[in-house]
Amino acid sequence: MTRHKREQQADALKAESPLEPSFVESRALKALSQLKQQPAEEEVDEQAAADDEEIHKSLLEEEEDRSLPPRQILFPSNYGRLAKWFYNLLFLLFIGLLVALLFWGRHTTMEGY
């Protein structure tokens, strides 16, 4: 078998390979050419368009009816209550520290007399 004949056979196999379709045999190009060949569809009559619009409006109303309330309403936050407890605890710790320092200061000054 000659080299030229082998090259021709290899080229023929490449052209027939399903994994590598040639540019001309592309499915996308076939679909595009079919779309170009088909005549343009007639316009949709106004009654059908109005019906579609009514259906769309009714679907939107149903979606509004079925929508959930905001998360904040379903699961209220405890942030306010926790903040109140935190600030009250800080205040009590400050008062405790103030009282402890006053007693410590009074105790140390009494030792000097």
Side-chain angles (χ1 to χ4, degrees):
M1 203 182 258
T2 64
R3 180 177 166 217
H4 181 67
K5 205 172 200 181
R6 278 188 239 140
E7 288 176 358
Q8 285 179 346
Q9 286 178 349
D11 290 340
L13 285 175
K14 284 182 183 178
E16 294 173 5
S17 172
L19 296 176
E20 298 177 10
S22 68
F23 182 71
V24 179
E25 297 174 4
S26 168
R27 282 191 251 163
L29 287 176
K30 285 181 184 178
L32 185 61
S33 64
Q34 287 176 355
L35 285 175
K36 286 182 179 179
Q37 291 172 359
Q38 291 177 352
E41 293 182 15
E42 296 179 13
E43 294 182 11
V44 179
D45 61 303
E46 294 175 12
Q47 181 62 32
D51 291 342
D52 288 344
E53 189 174 320
E54 288 176 22
I55 291 171
H56 183 67
K57 284 181 182 178
S58 66
L59 287 175
L60 285 176
E61 289 174 2
E62 287 178 14
E63 284 181 16
E64 289 175 2
D65 293 341
R66 293 186 299 178
S67 64
L68 294 173
R71 185 187 181 283
Q72 189 175 14
I73 293 173
L74 287 178
F75 304 104
S77 174
N78 291 332
Y79 178 78
R81 188 183 318 161
L82 290 174
K84 181 180 175 185
W85 278 90
F86 177 72
Y87 289 124
N88 285 340
L89 180 65
L90 280 179
F91 180 71
L92 291 175
L93 286 173
F94 175 73
I95 296 297
L97 179 64
L98 183 65
V99 169
L101 287 174
L102 287 174
F103 277 121
W104 182 54
R106 191 168 183 195
H107 176 68
T108 55
T109 56
M110 293 253 183
E111 288 179 2
Y113 289 111

